[in-house]
Amino acid sequence: MANALNRNDGREMPPAYDPQEVHEAAAQLSDFMRANGEAVVQAWSTTTRGVLSFQEHLTRFVGMRVQKDLDMAQAMAGCGDFEQLVDQQMAFGRTMVEDYMRSGEELLQSAIDIVRDGAQPLEARAEAAPQEVREAFASAS
């Protein structure tokens, strides 16, 4: 019968915690989460700006190429003989390849920059976060 009276049936109050310790732990967690949230927002905004710049460059390129296509059609219509027509087509082909190569390189570099710059805030947090967690656990002990 004494055993029945002494067993923990879940009605006992858990040990009391120091309110100051609870407050400090909550403040540390809040600071940690805020820093992580700021890193995510910074990465998102950096990536978004980069993507918008990428789209702007791509739109300019397409507009430039469409204009050159129209100019080519007009130049071909004004050719007086077959030799002029061939010269126009060769010049058009040459500039087309140069334009695509140059813009392709620029767009590829832009994409690489977007990924690198967007990942930087997250990488910085990934490096700092483990140390912050260790310090928080050390101060709680």
Side-chain angles (χ1 to χ4, degrees), residues 54-72:
F54 182 91
Q55 289 175 333
E56 182 181 347
H57 180 84
L58 185 60
T59 302
R60 276 195 313 270
F61 171 75
V62 169
M64 182 252 320
R65 284 304 316 158
V66 167
Q67 184 61 50
K68 285 186 177 185
D69 291 349
L70 293 172
D71 293 345
M72 173 61 178

Side-chain angles (χ1 to χ4, degrees), residues 90-107:
M90 288 181 65
F92 175 78
R94 200 173 308 111
T95 60
M96 181 178 67
V97 169
E98 290 169 359
D99 289 346
Y100 275 95
M101 291 297 291
R102 182 179 24 77
S103 288
E105 289 174 7
E106 291 171 2
L107 289 170

Side-chain angles (χ1 to χ4, degrees), residues 32 36 123-135:
F32 181 75
N36 289 346
E123 289 174 352
R125 281 305 301 152
E127 290 176 12
Q131 183 60 31
E132 292 174 11
V133 170
R134 279 189 216 96
E135 289 171 6

Side-chain angles (χ1 to χ4, degrees), residues 20-96:
Q20 185 62 31
E21 288 179 14
V22 172
H23 175 73
E24 288 173 10
Q28 284 178 332
L29 180 61
S30 177
D31 289 344
F32 181 75
M33 295 304 293
R34 180 190 45 74
N36 289 346
E38 287 174 356
V40 168
V41 169
Q42 186 179 8
W44 178 259
S45 63
T46 300
T47 301
T48 302
R49 281 191 305 273
V51 168
L52 290 174
S53 175
F54 182 91
Q55 289 175 333
E56 182 181 347
H57 180 84
L58 185 60
T59 302
R60 276 195 313 270
F61 171 75
V62 169
M64 182 252 320
R65 284 304 316 158
V66 167
Q67 184 61 50
K68 285 186 177 185
D69 291 349
L70 293 172
D71 293 345
M72 173 61 178
Q74 191 174 28
M76 287 177 66
C79 288
D81 60 25
F82 183 72
E83 187 176 329
Q84 274 186 321
L85 182 68
V86 170
D87 288 345
Q88 285 290 332
Q89 287 178 331
M90 288 181 65
F92 175 78
R94 200 173 308 111
T95 60
M96 181 178 67

